[in-house]
Structures are given as structure tokens and as C-alpha cells.
Amino acid sequence: MMLEGKSGPYFSSLDSSIEILRKRAQEMIENINESRQKDHALMTNFRDSLKIKVSDLTEKLEERMYQLYNHHNKIIQEKLEEFTQKMTKIGHLETELKQVCHTVETVYKDFQDLCGQPEV
């Protein structure tokens, strides 16, 4: 067997096989890169879609929260009005009670003066 450069049929077949392997490797690398680009596009679309859905859900939640705030504010306002009315009524009753106490005290003193008994 003679080794003469790369002119023999063995080397020519080997060169052809190496070139085929090189082309296949390059195709595989290109396929992997294309697949990665598709994956990246898919993830970008997924992320964007998820952002939109989360944003929509957040808006709905915020809207519902404000509806609840408004409802509770109305209830609180009603209770505060009731409380204010009751406190006003208590103030009037307190004034009346003071007047009754003053009247009872005056009647008691007048009664003691009539009966001539010393105050205790």
C-alpha cells in the first residue's frame, strides 16, 4: 500500500465521509439554533400573554376591591350617622336628667324648709 498524498481511493472516500459528517454537524447546529429561536419566541409570546392576563386580573381585583371599599364606606357612614344621632339624644337626655336632678334638689330643699328640719 502506497501513501501518496490524498490521491488514493481510500483517502478520497475518507474525505467524502468527513465532508458529509461536517455538513450533518452544521445542519444539526443550525437546527438546534432554529429550535432555540423558536423556543425563545414561544417564551416571549407566553411571557407577553401572561403579563396581559395578570394585568387584566389585577385590574379586575382592584375594581372589586374599590367596590367593597365603597360598600363598606356606606355602611360605616350609616353607623356613624346612627352613632351621632344617639350621642345627640344622650346629650339631650343628660340635660333633662340634670334638670330633673336640679328640680328634685330644689323640691327637697323646699320640703326641708317647710318641715323645718336641718339639712344633713
Side-chain angles (χ1 to χ4, degrees):
M1 183 185 268
M2 247 166 88
L3 294 175
E4 309 172 0
K6 293 185 178 180
S7 61
Y10 174 76
F11 288 111
S12 152
S13 172
L14 182 61
D15 286 343
S16 175
S17 294
I18 290 174
E19 187 59 30
I20 290 171
L21 287 175
R22 189 174 310 152
K23 285 181 182 179
R24 283 187 184 169
Q26 185 61 38
E27 287 175 4
M28 289 175 72
I29 290 170
E30 289 172 3
N31 288 339
I32 289 171
N33 286 337
E34 286 176 19
S35 178
R36 286 180 179 175
Q37 287 175 350
K38 288 177 184 176
D39 289 347
H40 179 70
L42 180 68
M43 287 305 296
T44 299
N45 289 337
F46 176 73
R47 182 179 54 243
D48 292 344
S49 175
L50 189 59
K51 282 180 182 179
I52 291 169
K53 288 180 181 181
V54 167
S55 178
D56 289 345
L57 182 60
T58 301
E59 285 179 22
K60 288 177 183 177
L61 181 62
E62 187 176 30
E63 194 174 299
R64 179 67 178 136
M65 188 174 67
Y66 286 125
Q67 288 173 356
L68 286 172
Y69 284 171
N70 286 334
H71 175 71
H72 289 140
N73 285 343
K74 288 176 184 176
I75 292 172
I76 290 169
Q77 186 64 37
E78 290 172 3
K79 298 295 180 183
L80 283 173
E81 288 174 10
E82 287 177 25
F83 177 74
T84 302
Q85 291 171 355
K86 289 180 181 182
M87 290 303 294
T88 302
K89 188 173 182 177
I90 288 171
H92 292 305
L93 291 173
E94 184 179 24
T95 301
E96 286 181 31
L97 183 60
K98 285 179 183 178
Q99 289 172 351
V100 167
C101 286
H102 180 67
T103 303
V104 168
E105 182 182 11
T106 303
V107 168
Y108 180 72
K109 285 182 182 180
D110 289 347
F111 180 73
Q112 281 185 340
D113 289 343
L114 276 174
C115 294
Q117 294 183 6
E119 291 186 25
V120 184

